[in-house]
Amino acid sequence: MKKVAIILSGCGVNDGSEIHEAVLCLLHLTKLGARYQCFAPNKPQETINHLTGKSDVSQQRNVLTEAARISRGEIKPLNELNVADFDALLLPGGFGVAKNLSDFASQGTDMQLDAQVQTACKAFASARKPAGYCCIAPILIPRVYPAGVKGTIGTDTDTAAAFIAMGGEHIGCGVTDVVEDAHYQVISTPAYMLAKHIAEADIGIGKLVKRLLEM
């Protein structure tokens, strides 16, 4: 039975993991007979009111605590992730990727990954273990793998340009498809970068998870 490490970035599309994407990842892994363990950085985050879309400075929230909502409490701090215990890595999207797992939201192509995120992702890359990145999460790929690594965020021109500027080879992709870099064992799908509803996101994520386990 394959075991997959999942890195979450909080809970909620605007300041954490995209909930639909995260749940679909967990569902497809389970249906295909894989086990998983969720992880998240244990650090504070900016909170967005998802009803108004505005920052809520009155709320003091933590990435790990928020991500525990999605995993039903079954989650560990990211610094406890040991690559030797897993067969693959999976990152759902959500704006928390660009704010909590990295600073892409504020720094663009000068982005740096959270130190623990970088350590974990690079460990899987160095061990030649497959990794899947959904939605905006593929923007991390050029900081994890060598120049020329292939990936997709769909068809968004600005984000694709940033992917290329950081050294990746961006490949345009439809919402229901995936892009695989066979050399580096990394696969990506646009999910809600393009999806208009959950059923569209489901198709691409389902393909990604299936291929991830095959890899």
Side-chain angles (χ1 to χ4, degrees):
M1 183 180 288
K2 302 294 185 183
K3 189 172 183 181
V4 180
I6 301 175
I7 299 179
L8 299 177
S9 60
C11 180
V13 60
N14 294 324
D15 59 12
S17 290
E18 210 295 320
I19 297 172
H20 292 178
E21 292 178 7
V23 172
L24 288 171
C25 286
L26 303 183
L27 176 63
H28 282 288
L29 286 169
T30 302
K31 290 174 72 173
L32 290 171
R35 294 181 297 157
Y36 61 81
Q37 174 64 57
C38 294
F39 296 88
N42 184 7
K43 66 179 189 180
Q45 64 164 80
E46 178 194 12
T47 301
I48 301 296
N49 181 320
H50 279 63
L51 187 61
T52 65
K54 297 179 179 179
S55 180
D56 186 353
V57 296
S58 68
Q59 295 276 350
Q60 300 295 318
R61 301 203 177 195
N62 175 281
V63 178
L64 177 62
T65 303
E66 290 301 292
R69 295 173 180 270
I70 295 175
S71 63
R72 296 172 60 88
E74 294 295 325
I75 194 166
K76 296 180 179 180
L78 184 54
N79 62 2
E80 295 183 12
L81 196 165
N82 183 350
V83 65
D85 296 335
F86 297 92
D87 299 293
L89 175 69
L90 182 54
L91 283 80
F95 208 43
V97 171
K99 301 174 77 173
N100 303 330
L101 303 189
S102 74
D103 58 7
F104 179 72
S106 61
Q107 300 302 315
T109 55
D110 292 326
M111 171 189 75
Q112 297 296 319
L113 273 61
D114 171 274
Q116 292 179 7
V117 174
Q118 180 168 326
T119 297
C121 292
K122 281 186 171 290
F124 278 86
S126 297
R128 301 285 297 169
K129 291 188 175 183
Y133 291 74
C134 304
C135 191
I136 190 62
I139 200 64
L140 307 183
I141 290 175
R143 287 287 190 260
V144 175
Y145 297 87
V149 61
K150 299 179 177 67
T152 191
I153 47 75
T155 58
D156 182 80
T157 304
D158 291 341
T159 314
F163 188 97
I164 294 167
M166 290 188 289
E169 179 184 342
H170 184 267
I171 298 174
C173 179
V175 64
T176 60
D177 290 322
V178 299
V179 168
E180 178 182 337
D181 189 315
H183 179 72
Y184 292 116
Q185 296 279 88
V186 61
I187 185 168
S188 48
T189 190
Y192 272 106
M193 288 295 290
L194 292 178
K196 294 181 174 61
H197 49 72
I198 192 171
E200 283 190 345
D202 177 59
I203 297 172
I205 289 173
K207 288 181 179 178
L208 182 145
V209 171
K210 182 175 184 294
R211 183 62 186 136
L212 183 69
L213 297 178
E214 291 172 346
M215 292 164 69

